[in-house]
Amino acid sequence: MHFSIQNGAIFVADSHYNQKNKEFLTFLEKLEKKQIETTQLFLMGDMIDFISGESRYFIKQNIAVINLLNKLSKNIEIIYLEGNHDYNLKTIFPNINVIKRENQPLLAKFEEKSVSISHGDNFINWKYDLYCKFIRNTIFLKFMNFIDVNFFISKKIEDVLVKKNICHKMKNFEEIVSKRVKNYDSDIIIEGHYHQGDIYNFDKKEYINIPSLCCQKKYIVIKDLKFKGEII
């Protein structure tokens, strides 16, 4: 069974929300005030710079976004595709349709076209898959919480992430995309992760990379059956 994408749906990716990147909170506040309107919202992963359902410190640091998302989920259908910075989220967002990495791509339909939706860090290699499985392990994460006295580990992670420059143009992105689309059997492929915001066509497949909210300050909305960029 395929998921149905609605006309007017919004796609947001890679906001990497933290003390420096506040765009995601601004976007959610505009949704709350109905300055931006939709009935269906796709969060494409890496929405928060780091969070997991087991992380006490990062849940506390991001509680404003968490509470607002849970409030909005009562009136908006929200689909959250976990990324490589945000995972094990179901306990945090009980009313949101959380799609774990191992369940991506999410297969969907838009009009008469088939669609595959992923954060974008799948189809890399078995070593990366093993790494992803390990860092999502609940026992490991609870152990890290146990030794995270006064949150000294969490604060070091936060400091590194805040200082990291994540916005840059990839010169070989079209080549990367040409290889990635071979892993999908859909008319339209939608991904985040790469922070590029580009669209390509290969062998009758349309590839859409959702722009990074913190880098390009844009999200994608479906208007008149077309995927269009909007500035936050």
Side-chain angles (χ1 to χ4, degrees):
M1 184 175 178
H2 286 71
F3 195 87
S4 180
I5 300 175
Q6 302 170 11
N7 195 34
I10 287 178
F11 294 79
V12 185
D14 300 278
S15 55
H16 289 270
Y17 177 80
N18 59 27
Q19 58 187 271
K20 180 178 68 175
N21 303 323
K22 299 291 188 180
E23 292 84 0
F24 190 40
L25 182 59
T26 299
F27 171 82
L28 295 177
E29 288 172 342
K30 288 186 175 182
L31 273 179
E32 183 185 29
K33 296 173 184 175
K34 299 191 181 302
Q35 295 170 350
I36 298 173
E37 294 189 74
T38 187
T39 58
Q40 190 179 56
L41 174 63
F42 288 86
L43 303 176
M44 299 293 296
D46 291 1
M47 306 312 302
I48 295 171
D49 212 16
F50 178 74
I51 196 167
S52 77
E54 298 83 4
S55 176
R56 293 171 298 160
Y57 177 78
F58 286 102
I59 289 174
K60 180 181 177 182
Q61 290 296 93
N62 295 285
I63 197 65
V65 163
I66 292 169
N67 287 342
L68 191 45
L69 272 172
N70 280 324
K71 180 180 179 181
L72 291 168
S73 70
K74 296 177 182 178
N75 299 302
I76 299 173
E77 181 183 23
I78 302 178
I79 302 92
Y80 198 135
L81 288 91
E82 293 187 339
N84 50 302
H85 285 245
D86 43 3
Y87 42 82
N88 297 357
L89 300 178
K90 192 59 185 175
T91 56
I92 304 175
F93 301 118
N95 297 318
I96 291 176
N97 186 2
V98 176
I99 312 297
K100 299 178 75 65
R101 181 179 182 270
E102 56 264 34
N103 296 326
Q104 299 176 32
L106 172 66
L107 301 180
K109 279 283 188 182
F110 176 61
E111 294 297 300
E112 299 302 317
K113 294 186 176 181
S114 58
V115 185
S116 290
I117 311 172
S118 296
H119 170 63
D121 72 327
N122 49 353
F123 307 122
I124 306 296
N125 56 53
W126 70 269
K127 293 179 182 178
Y128 183 73
D129 288 342
L130 185 61
Y131 161 76
C132 288
K133 187 174 182 179
F134 177 76
I135 63 169
R136 286 163 172 78
N137 182 273
T138 298
I139 296 174
F140 166 71
L141 290 168
K142 287 183 176 179
F143 172 73
M144 293 302 293
N145 260 332
F146 178 73
I147 65 172
D148 193 17
V149 179
N150 295 323
F151 303 123
F152 80 100
I153 298 174
S154 294
K155 289 177 180 178
K156 285 185 178 180
I157 292 171
E158 183 179 47
D159 185 58
V160 170
L161 290 172
V162 168
K163 292 177 181 178
K164 188 176 180 180
N165 178 18
I166 61 171
C167 301
H168 58 275
K169 197 67 179 175
M170 298 172 62
K171 294 180 180 178
N172 64 332
F173 188 54
E174 185 172 0
E175 180 183 350
I176 291 172
V177 170
S178 68
K179 296 176 181 177
R180 287 195 60 77
V181 296
K182 295 175 182 177
N183 297 293
Y184 294 97
D185 186 24
S186 298
D187 301 314
I188 301 173
I189 298 124
I190 303 175
E191 292 186 332
H193 187 58
Y194 296 98
H195 305 179
Q196 301 302 295
D198 292 329
I199 297 176
Y200 299 101
N201 287 278
F202 296 99
D203 300 323
K204 298 182 180 179
K205 294 179 181 179
E206 183 178 16
Y207 176 91
I208 301 169
N209 183 245
I210 304 300
S212 163
L213 193 66
C214 72
C215 295
Q216 285 90 27
K217 318 298 181 189
K218 289 183 178 181
Y219 58 93
I220 294 292
V221 59
I222 299 177
K223 286 185 178 179
D224 302 321
L225 306 182
K226 294 182 179 180
F227 293 80
K228 298 182 179 181
E230 293 282 348
I231 298 175
I232 185 173

